[in-house]
């Protein structure tokens, strides 16, 4: 089994949760909870939503914006199997999220 980081990607326009219909939020959260239950054996870290971003670089610390809205860490037999877990995920099937990006955790060079 391999380990994968899945990033929930938001849209180019930040979502205002207050603008969503409460019934739609409830339906989406119920579907999200069901997805987590359905994939409980594969979810290693439940992750969660993410807030504002700061970037630290050679020039210091700056505020930036990216599309990463949340994350989860899963395990699967292959990259394809991990990606298929997110087909029709409530993040973009119900909520206005853009997509889910899945990448494999690779070994650290020189270890193991």
């Amino acid at each position: 089994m391999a380990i994968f980081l899945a990033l929930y990607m938001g849209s180019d326009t930040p979502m205002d949760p207050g603008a969503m219909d409460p019934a739609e939020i409830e339906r989406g959260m119920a579907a999200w909870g069901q997805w987590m239950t359905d994939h409980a054996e594969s979810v290693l870290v439940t992750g969660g939503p993410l807030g504002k971003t700061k970037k630290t670089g050679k020039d210091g610390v700056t505020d930036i914006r990216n599309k990463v809205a949340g994350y989860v860490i899963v395990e699967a037999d292959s990259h394809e199997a991990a990606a298929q877990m997110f087909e029709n995920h409530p993040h973009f099937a119900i909520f206005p999220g853009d997509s889910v990006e899945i990448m494999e955790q690779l070994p650290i060079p020189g270890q193991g």
Side-chain angles (χ1 to χ4, degrees), residues 4 10-13 25 27 32 42 47 61 64 68 72 77 80-81 86 90 94-95 99 101 104-105 107 110:
F4 299 88
S11 63
D12 287 331
T13 305
I25 292 172
R27 182 175 83 87
W32 202 303
S42 298
V61 178
I64 64 165
V68 181
V72 65
D77 290 330
E80 184 68 26
F86 294 91
I94 297 173
F95 291 113
S99 61
E101 296 183 7
E104 184 173 2
Q105 177 185 322

Side-chain angles (χ1 to χ4, degrees), residues 8-53:
Y8 299 112
M9 305 304 288
S11 63
D12 287 331
T13 305
M15 179 184 78
D16 175 9
M20 285 189 72
D21 176 11
E24 191 69 359
I25 292 172
E26 187 175 325
R27 182 175 83 87
M29 293 310 297
W32 202 303
Q34 186 61 55
W35 185 92
M36 293 295 285
T37 298
D38 292 347
H39 296 90
E41 290 185 10
S42 298
V43 175
L44 300 179
V45 177
T46 58
L50 299 171
K52 294 183 179 184
T53 304

